[in-house]
């Protein structure tokens, strides 16, 4: 089993619907991240969390919210999905020191299509 | 601000060819530099890294040297294999700033048998 698991792996939805992407990890890492990948743009940080009580906005947080339910779980929500949120979403984790040196561990991604 | 510029792809090579993927960066401090690789259908994984000028990162036959004078971190491999087909991302991180992992746009590599 993967150390960082994302569900669902693929989702097609309609404009205006609420969507939740879930991430769980068995690596025991404190830090968790949500990234968005768009063709030609690389990965952009949406939100990050250094522990259960510490959640921070990233580069592109507008239109998204997150919940850190436990050390191992970090969910991303789109309250009212719009077509330009169609993308591949990645959850990632890092150790406390690993975060500052850039070593992230990624899930396999959740492909979201908003019609 | 901080940014990473990678050569545009896609790159298509024959097996055993020499690979170079160019990466240059702009940073306000002294970054650590990374190459991540994304195999089809998978998440990104760290390929190699270098944390200071003139360091060489290496892994799986790939290597890259941190060149401060040219602000570059080009990825090279002497003889590519079909299994190297993937998307390669150059990235930088400012020391002590976990959230400041900035990625390049990625370069798709396809290796033909």
């Amino acid at each position: 089993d993967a150390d960082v698991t994302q569900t669902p792996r693929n989702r097609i939805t309609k404009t205006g619907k609420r969507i939740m992407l879930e991430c769980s990890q068995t690596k025991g890492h404190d830090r968790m991240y949500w990234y968005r990948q768009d063709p030609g743009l690389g990965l952009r940080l949406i939100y990050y969390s250094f522990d259960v009580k510490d959640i921070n906005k990233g580069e592109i947080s507008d239109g998204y919210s997150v919940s850190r339910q436990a050390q191992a779980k970090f969910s991303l929500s789109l309250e009212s999905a719009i077509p330009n949120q169609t993308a591949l979403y990645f959850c990632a984790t890092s150790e406390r020191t690993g975060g500052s040196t850039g070593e992230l561990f990624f899930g396999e991604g959740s492909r979201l299509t908003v019609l | 601000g901080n940014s990473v510029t990678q050569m545009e792809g896609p790159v298509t090579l024959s097996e055993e060819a020499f690979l170079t993927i160019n990466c240059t960066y702009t940073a306000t401090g002294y970054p650590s530099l990374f190459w991540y690789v994304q195999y089809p259908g998978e998440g990104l994984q760290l390929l190699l890294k270098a944390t200071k000028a003139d360091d060489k990162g290496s892994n799986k036959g790939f290597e890259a040297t941190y060149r401060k004078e040219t602000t570059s971190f080009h990825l090279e491999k002497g003889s590519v294999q079909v299994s190297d087909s993937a998307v390669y991302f150059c990235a930088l991180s400012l020391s002590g700033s976990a959230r400041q992992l900035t990625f390049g746009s990625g370069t798709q590599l396809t290796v033909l048998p």
Side-chain angles (χ1 to χ4, degrees), chain B residues 6 8 16 32-33 48 63 69-70 97 102:
Chain B
Q6 289 182 234
E8 293 188 10
E16 299 183 0
S32 296
L33 300 173
L48 54 84
E63 58 182 35
E69 64 276 13
T70 55
S97 300
T102 300

Side-chain angles (χ1 to χ4, degrees), chain A residues 7-51:
Chain A
T7 56
R9 295 291 311 278
N10 287 285
R11 181 72 183 269
I12 300 173
T13 190
K14 295 182 179 180
T15 298
K17 294 292 187 181
R18 183 178 187 272
I19 296 295
M20 179 180 287
L21 306 179
E22 299 185 332
C23 176
S24 63
Q25 54 113 346
T26 58
K27 297 193 72 67
H29 289 167
D30 290 325
R31 300 183 172 189
M32 299 186 73
Y33 310 78
W34 276 104
Y35 283 89
R36 167 176 172 160
Q37 183 181 20
D38 296 280
L41 294 179
L43 276 75
R44 293 180 290 167
L45 183 63
I46 306 172
Y47 270 95
Y48 62 101
S49 171
F50 284 177
D51 65 40

Side-chain angles (χ1 to χ4, degrees), chain B residues 61-83:
Chain B
F62 291 89
E63 58 182 35
T65 301
Y66 187 164
R67 301 287 188 197
K68 184 180 176 183
E69 64 276 13
T70 55
T71 61
S72 65
F73 192 55
H74 304 321
L75 183 68
E76 296 182 336
K77 187 175 185 182
S79 176
V80 293
Q81 305 300 312
V82 173
S83 57

Side-chain angles (χ1 to χ4, degrees), chain B residues 1 4 6-8 17 23 33 37 40 43-44 46 49-53 64 83-84 88 97 101 104-105 109:
Chain B
V4 175
Q6 289 182 234
M7 67 183 285
E8 293 188 10
C23 171
L33 300 173
V37 58
L44 283 72
L46 182 64
K49 66 180 181 182
T51 58
K52 61 183 187 295
S83 57
D84 294 327
Y88 293 81
S97 300
L101 192 64
S105 57
L109 170 67

Side-chain angles (χ1 to χ4, degrees), chain A residues 75-91:
Chain A
S75 299
L76 177 71
S77 293
L78 289 67
E79 296 300 326
S80 180
I82 57 177
N84 75 1
Q85 292 178 311
T86 293
L88 184 56
Y89 291 86
F90 285 103
C91 176

